[in-house]
Each structure stands twice: as C-alpha cells, then as structure tokens.
Amino acid sequence: MTTTARRTHCESCAGPMPLMARADARFCGDTCRKRAHRARASAERERVTVEQAARVPVELTSRPRWVRYSSRKVPLRVDGRFAAVNDPSSWSDFDAAATAPAGEGVGFVLTAHDRIVVVDLDHAVEAGQLLPWAQRIVDALPATYMERGRSGTGLHLWFRGEVPAGRRIRQGELAVEVYSDRRYIIIGDRVPGTPLELAELPDAAGVIALLV
C-alpha cells in the first residue's frame, strides 16, 4: 500500500500548509481553494474558446456580433441580461461571448450590413443521415461552412449574400428558413469536411425558391 506524501505548501499561494490540514489537502484554506477553482474554470473557458474558434470561420469570429443564449433560446448579453437583435450595444466580440459563463452557448446576430445569409434546414437529419429533400438542397448549393443545429436534427448553411426579407417555407416534411437580418443563429458543430469559409450566394431567396 502506497502512502501519498503530505503536502507542505499550498498549491495556490505556496504558503505553508496548516499543521492540522488533512493528508490529502492541496490548499491552505477556502480562499486559495476558491481562487484555484476560478483559475481552472477560466482555463477551461479559454480552452473551449480556442477550440470553438478553430471550427468557426474568421468571417464570423472577427465581427462583434456575438451573444449568449438561454435554455429557452433567448439571446443574452455576456453578463446574462437580455440582448436584442436590433441593439448592437448588447452584442460582444467572439472571445468575450465564448468565455462568458452566462447561458448555454454562443450565437451570431445577422445584420443586413454584413451580407451574411443563413439557410436553415429544419428536421433535416435523421439517424445521422441527411433526409433526401435536404440532401438535394445541399448538393445544389455551393460548398460552404455548414453546421449541425443545437437539436442535432437541423442544418445551418452560411453564405455571403442577402435576402430582402426572411423566408420560411413549409411543404410536407420540407422545412427551410432563410435569413440575413435581425435574427441570431445559435452556433452548433461544424459538419466535418465542409469549408471553413462562406461561399457567395447571389439572390439567395430566389435560389432557394427554385430549389424547393
């Protein structure tokens, strides 16, 4: 049976450990324990930020259009207060949003000025496979940055372009939404093998209308 040597100095402040500290104690007291916990949490958020940034196009991460979102998919500021898609003062840069503890994750606010279009294919994935109607649309559009939605069954295709107004199309099982302004999109997981950049899609609304 091996015995772990008693620590003589605090792992956080490097000061001497209390005489009556437990044999497996790492910190000299609650203050250092809490400080170490905050440091670990901060390091974890930074790690997640770096990993997520590597999966999201620079065309998006370089713009201060980021919010958090709640469990009810309500946009939040980085401090947890409500954000609004028509209030730029409630948005943040990517790093601030990605490391903020509020909410469930990050979302990107679409504005007409940026000329970024998102084609949202709802309930397009089943058992890990694209449904035929969704596959037909994906195959007909230029290869671009694409991600799985938060639910795991939706698909977001990101393009450079614009639409005069958002569109929502429902035809049987087919469910397509197209947006480029005053919406925020929850960022999911990048579909492996898809480009880490946005393709150009002129007349996005017209193109989608022809496809469906």
Side-chain angles (χ1 to χ4, degrees):
M1 179 178 178
T2 59
T3 302
T4 303
R6 181 185 294 271
R7 185 182 296 275
T8 59
H9 290 82
C10 174
E11 187 176 297
S12 178
C13 71
M17 294 291 287
L19 182 63
M20 300 302 292
R22 290 172 41 176
D24 60 349
R26 297 164 56 195
F27 308 105
C28 63
D30 285 343
T31 299
C32 282
R33 187 178 298 108
K34 291 176 181 177
R35 182 185 299 123
H37 174 74
R38 289 194 298 268
R40 288 196 300 272
S42 176
E44 176 62 13
R45 288 196 297 271
E46 184 175 351
R47 181 190 66 79
V48 171
T49 299
V50 171
E51 289 185 358
Q52 189 166 40
R55 301 194 302 268
V56 180
V58 174
E59 290 174 84
L60 303 181
T61 59
S62 62
R63 301 174 191 267
R65 307 282 189 268
W66 294 89
V67 294
R68 302 288 295 179
Y69 66 87
S70 71
S71 58
R72 296 185 178 183
K73 298 184 179 181
V74 175
L76 303 173
R77 301 170 190 247
V78 293
D79 61 6
R81 293 181 296 153
F82 291 125
V85 295
N86 59 354
D87 180 8
S89 70
S90 65
W91 314 337
S92 300
D93 60 37
F94 176 78
D95 288 345
T99 56
E104 304 290 323
V106 296
F108 183 88
V109 180
L110 299 173
T111 69
H113 174 75
D114 287 338
R115 294 191 68 254
I116 292 176
V117 172
V118 172
V119 177
D120 182 0
L121 308 182
D122 202 13
H123 303 298
V125 180
E126 190 174 283
Q129 299 294 320
L130 274 179
L131 294 175
W133 69 265
Q135 186 68 64
R136 178 171 55 82
I137 292 176
V138 170
D139 290 344
L141 293 173
T144 193
Y145 170 61
M146 185 164 53
E147 63 186 11
R148 292 278 292 272
R150 181 188 176 209
S151 67
T153 62
L155 203 63
H156 301 155
L157 289 77
W158 295 72
F159 297 96
R160 290 189 302 273
E162 56 192 84
V163 291
R167 294 201 58 188
R168 180 177 295 181
I169 304 168
R170 295 287 191 273
Q171 296 177 6
E173 66 173 353
L174 181 149
V176 179
E177 298 178 12
V178 187
Y179 299 108
S180 68
D181 187 26
R182 288 177 293 178
R183 297 280 297 195
Y184 90 98
I185 306 297
I186 291 174
I187 301 299
D189 294 323
R190 177 188 174 199
V191 175
T194 59
L196 197 55
E197 58 187 21
L198 280 60
E200 191 75 30
L201 188 65
D203 186 25
V207 171
I208 297 301
L210 289 174
L211 292 175
V212 300

